[in-house]
Amino acid sequence: MPSISIIACKIKSIISTIGGIPQLTSPMLKEIKIPLPPLEVQRKIVEILDQFHTLTTSLTEGIPAEIEARRKQYQYYRDKLLSFKEKKET
């Protein structure tokens, strides 16, 4: 499987053979083979990206909710600790 740098060199060589303004035409692009990993590797890549997406989505949604829950918890315990009932003298 050729690397990206080999593909880039191929494109540069095609463009540099044309005099004047460099151009890349449709027939030239059709000559270039772009390698793809095997289907199993593509599936593994998709699985990893899906997990990453799920993780980042849950973080962006979960962290603000967690902060709000901690803020409410803090306020509850602060109010509990700082509100004193007056003692009745007998």
Side-chain angles (χ1 to χ4, degrees):
M1 179 169 14
S3 69
I4 299 298
S5 61
I6 294 172
I7 295 170
C9 288
K10 175 82 172 162
I11 291 172
K12 285 179 185 177
S13 69
I14 291 171
I15 292 174
S16 65
T17 59
I18 303 169
I21 300 173
Q23 56 184 340
L24 192 58
T25 63
S26 181
M28 290 176 185
L29 285 174
K30 288 180 183 176
E31 288 181 25
I32 299 171
K33 303 276 187 220
I34 299 176
L36 292 175
L39 195 55
E40 188 57 37
V41 174
Q42 291 179 40
R43 286 188 178 119
K44 184 66 177 169
I45 291 169
V46 168
E47 180 183 328
I48 291 168
L49 291 174
D50 283 345
Q51 289 173 355
F52 180 74
H53 181 289
T54 301
L55 177 64
T56 55
T57 301
S58 68
L59 284 176
T60 56
E61 293 172 359
I63 288 177
E66 186 66 24
I67 290 171
E68 183 59 29
R70 294 303 133 239
R71 182 175 289 126
K72 287 180 180 179
Q73 184 181 34
Y74 168 78
Q75 289 171 350
Y76 172 80
Y77 285 109
R78 180 197 62 204
D79 292 344
K80 280 286 207 191
L81 288 169
L82 298 177
S83 60
F84 301 102
K85 292 183 181 179
E86 290 189 28
K87 250 185 174 178
K88 290 184 181 179
E89 292 192 34
T90 55

